[in-house]
Structure formats: structure tokens, C-alpha cells
Amino acid sequence: MNGLPLKNTGMLFRFILRQDRISIPVWILSLSLLSFMSAQSFKGVYPTKESREAIAETMMNPAMTAMLGKAYGIDNYTYGAMFAHEMLLFTAMVVAVMSILLTARHTRAEEEDGRIEMIRALPAGRMANLAAAHSSLILTNFILAIVIGLGLYALQIESMDLNGSLLYGAALGVTGLFFTGITAVFAQLSETSRGTIGYSFAVLGAAYLIRAIGDVSSETLSWFSPLGWVLGSEVYVNNYWRPVIMTAGVSGALILISIYLNYIRDLGSGFLPSRPGKRFASPLLLSPFGLAVRLHGTGLISWTVGMLLIGASYGSIFGDLESFFSEIEMMQKLLPSADGFSLTEQFLAKIMSIVAMISTVPALMTVLKLKGEEKAKRTEHLLARAVSRTRMMGSYLFLSFIVTIVMQGAASIALGAAANATLENSIEFSTFLQAGMMYLPAMWIFITIAVLLVGFAPKLTGLAWLYLGYSFFVVYLGGLFQFNEWVGNISPFAHIPELPIEEMNFLKVILLTILAVIIAAAGFAGYRRRDIQG
């Protein structure tokens, strides 16, 4: 042991901030701009009290309650109440994702890659790295809370006072702290970073589901979800600080538990027992593709189940869409305009693009796993044998193509089944499949861009995620913010025919597919030539 358990925590804290000198500011800036632009847009879309009262009535719809949370201040639906109701839950979940990824990166991932062992060999305390990681996340969420809170107040929007704005920011900050604690605990329980992230996202998904069921059926049940706690603060309406303080207290307890668990366990081990492997490898593992399938098997099964649930949840609200959208100008702006088609069909066209972007996430994770294997120095063991680089990368690329088909197909099938179960006039099932699978070429563009980055600049693979986030923002909210057409055209999703309200355009689909092939070929060429990290 190197003296005190927290020796040189400050030095490691500064080192972590240097590592994240780009990612943390990007997260904070992106979330802040999203909040500010959304708040300003509500003021422009709903200029009168009557328009706000109209949307307030539709917010009592159980489907909207499940998606956005219970609405407060309906009797006087101010800009503040509207903004908090429609944006707090969504933004809080994004903050949770940020905290999960950053915490896992600086805890279990660092340990899995052997870097913490190197730090322990230096004059650093046993708990120094974990304490530094917690400190960096606490600082990140604190800055996020202050920037968003003061920024919303600085907009000087009616009903968005200083107390409510600071509470809004604090609600986001404590959400990040809670999932920092959760992830840190799982980092002690699981032996892998993949398990740590998987368990943490499972808690996030369960928190959302429990809150949704509770908000619709039993308010008591909502208080079993941390997302229900922050929504219980009733921002810009009653401004209750107690739920936020309670969340902060539970977050502190989780952080302390993670520190204790880290102190009593051996480096490299986890408290959850790992399943022993087979004595003999299966024939599947005799090829790079089989190995890639084995590495992603559990995660892809979980993602498939998740996409089925996402599709079913969106499909379950189709029965109330006509009455809901017909009265809301803002929601109609989000939909593509199409004469002769019902609002339900227009919503189908829009929601399929959102589902496709969500389905792109596991596909990107699959192809970028090659970079992770290389960073962990495992690919060199395969490349030293009779395995070419082309075959190695091709295995991950082919698997990612399969992932796009499976994920988008699962979501489309679930969405169609749930939607037709709620609609009086059902839509042909093939329409859902065609509308969903039409987005495959756009998804392949993202996959091949990831291949290109792995081939030429593996340190810049985060750009693929940034591009996907940009696409989500401009495609989903482009109608609301009235972006210029070229802003949306930067994303490949904007060039996909929106079935069933648009005619099929084979030329665009073929050109996107050819472009994906060209990008992939360039990525393969770069991967064959560059030095593999050793």
C-alpha cells in the first residue's frame, strides 16, 4: 500500500479532467443549448394563453403521461410548467447516459485495461482513482446544473424565475449524480466494463418503466423510481426542493457504498460471480466472425428485447394520435406535411426515423468494438495467426449489418402489432416493415463512417456518435425549429423516402447504398495500411 488511501487524489483528478477536456465541455454545451433552444421555441409556438390551455388538455392523455411524466400546473399552464413537463424527463435521461459512460470509463474500463494497476504501482492511494473519478463527475454535474439553471433564468421568459430555473438545473445535476453512484457500484460488482454499462442502463430503463406505470396508474409507484423523484419537484409550478435533496442524499450513499466495495475487493475482481467458460471452444469460435458474435451475444439479445419494447411502446399510443395531434400546432410542425394522409400515417413516417436512429446505436457499438479489442491488445493475437486485417474488419462490419436488420425489424414488427391492436382502422402490416427497413441504407452510412474512422483515425471514432446525435436533433426537431433545408440534408436520414406518405425513390436509396460501400472500402484500405496499436 502507498500510504494514505487517498494519496495523490488531486493529481489523478486533474489527469481525468485533462483526459475529458473535450468530452465534458461537449456534453455540457450540447445539453445547455438543447435546453435554451427548446425554452425559446415554446415561447414562439405558443404565444397566447389560449394556445397553452389547448395543449394542456391534451397532456392529460395517458400515453403522454407515460412518455413525459405527470403534468403539473395544468390549470395555469405557463411557459415554465410546459417546458419542465416536456423537457425535464428527456434531458434527465440524457444526463444519466452521460454520467454512466463517463463513470464506467474512469472506473471499471480503466481497471479492465490494466491502467489502474499501473497507477497503484506509483505513489497513489488505494482509493485515489475512484475518488478522483467521483470528484470529476460531481464537478461536471455541478457545472451542468449551474450553467443550465442560470442560463434558463437569463432568457427572461415569463414564469421561468430564478428559483425554478435553479431547481431545474439541480434536478438534472442530481440525476447525473445518482447514476454516477449506480454505475460506480456496478463497477465494483461486475468484472467488465461491458457488464457495468449494461447493468447501469438496465437500471435507467427500469426507472423509466416504473415511473411510466406509476404516473399512469399509481402515484406511489412513481416514488420507487429516481426519475419519479426529480419529476416530483414540480419545477416552475410548486418548486419542491425536497425530492432533489433526497436524490442527492441517495446519490451520496451510493458513492460511499462504491468506495467501500472498492476498498474491500481485490483489484481486477468483481463481487458478482462470473460464469465459467466451456472446456472446449465451439466451432463458432474458429472464425473472427464467430468470435465477434460471441463477444456481442448477450448485449445484442438485450438490445433486441429493448427495441421490441420501444416499438411496442410507440405503437400503443397510435389509437389516440388523431385526436391528440389535430389540436397541437407544435406537434404538427414536427410531422412531415402530406396531403391526403392521416396524422397517424404522418406520425408513422416520423417515428420510424427516430426508431432507426436508436437502432443505429447497437450497430455502431458492434463495429467500434474492433477498436476496443485493439486498444486492449487482443486483436494482435489474431492478426499474428492466419487472419487478415480485411477478414477481421469484415467480420465486425458484416455483424453490424445484421444488427441493423434485426433491430429495425424487431422494432417495426412490435410497433405494427401494437399499433394495429389500438387502431380502429388498421394499417397493413407490410407498411410498417417497409417504412422501417427503408432506413437501412442511412444506418449503413453511419456504420461505414465508423469503419472509416477505425481505419484512418481510431482516436476520432467519437465523431460517429456526434454525427448520430446531430442527425437525431435536426431530423426530430427540425420542423419545430424551422431549420434551413441544408441543415437537415447533412444527415443521411433526411434523404430516405418517408413511407407511407412519400413515394418510393429507388435512386436515393441506391445512391446511399453505393456511398456506404465506397466509405467502407476506404475504411478497409486505411485499416490494412495503418499501424495496429501494440
Side-chain angles (χ1 to χ4, degrees):
M1 295 196 49
N2 292 312
L4 298 175
L6 297 177
K7 184 177 181 180
N8 280 328
T9 297
M11 183 181 296
L12 291 174
F13 170 66
R14 292 190 296 272
F15 177 66
I16 289 175
L17 293 182
R18 177 175 173 78
Q19 282 183 294
D20 292 339
R21 63 188 180 277
I22 296 178
S23 59
I24 289 178
V26 167
W27 275 109
I28 293 176
L29 183 62
S30 301
L31 289 166
S32 299
L33 289 178
L34 174 64
S35 300
F36 302 154
M37 293 175 66
S38 300
Q40 285 284 23
S41 69
F42 287 125
K43 187 177 178 180
V45 174
Y46 302 102
T48 64
K49 183 178 180 180
E50 290 73 19
S51 62
R52 296 194 297 272
E53 289 177 350
I55 190 175
E57 294 180 4
T58 63
M59 287 300 162
M60 302 303 292
N61 185 303
M64 297 308 299
T65 300
M67 291 177 63
L68 302 175
K70 188 175 180 180
Y72 299 101
I74 291 296
D75 296 336
N76 183 25
Y77 210 45
T78 62
Y79 290 121
M82 181 188 307
F83 171 72
H85 180 220
E86 298 188 23
M87 291 300 299
L88 180 56
L89 178 61
F90 170 76
T91 312
M93 294 186 67
V94 178
V95 172
V97 171
M98 174 194 75
S99 296
I100 289 172
L101 296 178
L102 291 178
T103 304
R105 175 186 177 185
H106 293 298
T107 53
R108 177 53 71 172
E110 296 278 8
E111 187 172 341
E112 191 176 15
D113 292 338
R115 286 189 285 271
I116 292 183
E117 185 176 3
M118 296 175 62
I119 292 173
R120 291 273 189 93
L122 300 171
R126 180 184 180 91
M127 312 304 302
N129 188 80
L130 181 59
H134 281 316
S135 299
S136 68
L137 267 297
I138 291 172
L139 178 63
T140 299
N141 283 289
F142 177 76
I143 293 175
L144 177 69
I146 293 297
V147 169
I148 290 181
L150 294 180
L152 289 174
Y153 175 67
L155 295 176
Q156 292 296 299
I157 297 176
E158 178 188 348
S159 75
M160 298 179 68
D161 57 7
L162 180 61
N163 184 35
S165 298
L166 290 177
L167 179 59
Y168 185 94
L172 296 179
V174 296
T175 302
L177 289 180
F178 179 88
F179 283 95
T180 293
I182 282 289
T183 308
V185 170
F186 282 126
Q188 316 312 315
L189 299 180
S190 175
E191 289 188 350
T192 64
S193 58
R194 186 173 54 184
T196 299
I197 294 174
Y199 289 131
S200 301
F201 274 110
V203 171
L204 177 59
Y208 182 86
L209 184 61
I210 292 171
R211 178 217 52 80
I213 297 173
D215 286 345
V216 173
S217 59
S218 173
E219 186 175 353
T220 302
L221 184 61
S222 297
W223 287 95
F224 285 89
S225 166
L227 297 177
W229 302 346
V230 296
L231 293 183
S233 57
E234 301 184 17
V235 181
Y236 293 124
V237 180
N238 293 312
N239 291 331
Y240 296 133
W241 280 86
R242 283 176 296 179
V244 170
I245 296 173
M246 180 182 71
T247 307
V250 175
S251 303
L254 289 170
I255 289 174
L256 292 176
I257 291 172
S258 70
I259 292 175
Y260 172 74
L261 293 176
N262 182 267
Y263 186 78
I264 64 174
R265 71 175 176 86
D266 294 330
L267 184 66
S269 65
F271 287 97
L272 295 178
S274 57
R275 187 179 62 181
K278 297 179 180 179
R279 293 184 60 188
F280 302 100
S282 66
L284 186 66
L285 294 179
L286 297 179
S287 67
F289 177 77
L291 178 61
V293 173
R294 177 66 180 84
L295 291 174
H296 292 88
T298 303
L300 293 180
I301 291 173
S302 301
W303 267 102
T304 303
V305 174
M307 294 309 300
L308 286 169
L309 293 175
I310 289 173
S313 64
Y314 278 125
S316 65
I317 66 174
F318 267 59
D320 299 321
L321 287 179
E322 288 291 336
S323 60
F324 176 62
F325 280 108
S326 61
E327 301 177 6
I328 306 177
E329 180 184 356
M330 174 184 172
M331 300 306 291
Q332 292 180 27
K333 288 184 177 181
L334 291 174
L335 298 177
S337 58
D339 296 331
F341 291 92
S342 66
L343 288 171
T344 301
E345 291 172 316
Q346 296 176 48
F347 180 74
L348 168 61
K350 171 61 66 175
I351 207 62
M352 277 303 182
S353 65
I354 306 303
V355 170
M357 283 183 269
I358 298 175
S359 297
T360 306
V361 173
L364 272 179
M365 292 174 64
T366 299
V367 74
L368 290 177
K369 179 67 174 176
L370 179 60
K371 175 203 169 185
E373 291 294 294
E374 178 183 340
K375 191 175 180 180
K377 301 180 181 180
R378 289 190 282 265
T379 56
E380 59 188 43
H381 298 293
L382 298 176
L383 295 175
R385 302 174 184 273
V387 177
S388 66
R389 296 191 186 192
T390 300
R391 187 182 179 193
M392 173 73 74
M393 178 171 275
S395 299
Y396 283 86
L397 179 60
F398 182 59
L399 178 59
S400 65
F401 282 154
I402 294 176
V403 170
T404 60
I405 297 172
V406 172
M407 298 300 163
Q408 194 67 355
S412 301
I413 291 172
L415 195 152
N420 282 331
T422 61
L423 289 171
E424 293 183 3
N425 299 318
S426 61
I427 301 174
E428 290 186 13
F429 198 77
S430 60
T431 301
F432 291 94
L433 283 176
Q434 292 171 3
M437 306 309 280
M438 188 58 56
Y439 283 93
L440 289 177
M443 299 166 70
W444 294 341
I445 292 289
F446 283 91
I447 294 171
T448 53
I449 287 176
V451 168
L452 183 68
L453 291 170
V454 171
F456 284 95
K459 292 183 178 180
L460 299 179
T461 50
L463 293 176
W465 295 111
L466 186 63
Y467 187 30
L468 181 60
Y470 170 85
S471 298
F472 181 87
F473 183 75
V474 299
V475 172
Y476 186 52
L477 298 176
L480 175 62
F481 293 115
Q482 300 296 308
F483 293 133
N484 292 328
E485 186 176 355
W486 68 267
V487 177
N489 288 338
I490 295 176
S491 169
F493 287 102
H495 299 280
I496 297 295
E498 294 185 316
L499 302 181
I501 65 174
E502 292 182 359
E503 293 185 2
M504 178 61 188
N505 190 326
F506 287 101
L507 179 60
K508 284 187 176 181
V509 173
I510 293 173
L511 287 177
L512 283 175
T513 304
I514 294 174
L515 179 61
V517 173
I518 294 173
I519 296 173
F524 273 84
Y527 190 67
R528 285 197 302 267
R529 290 181 175 87
R530 77 167 174 84
D531 293 333
I532 300 297
Q533 295 181 9

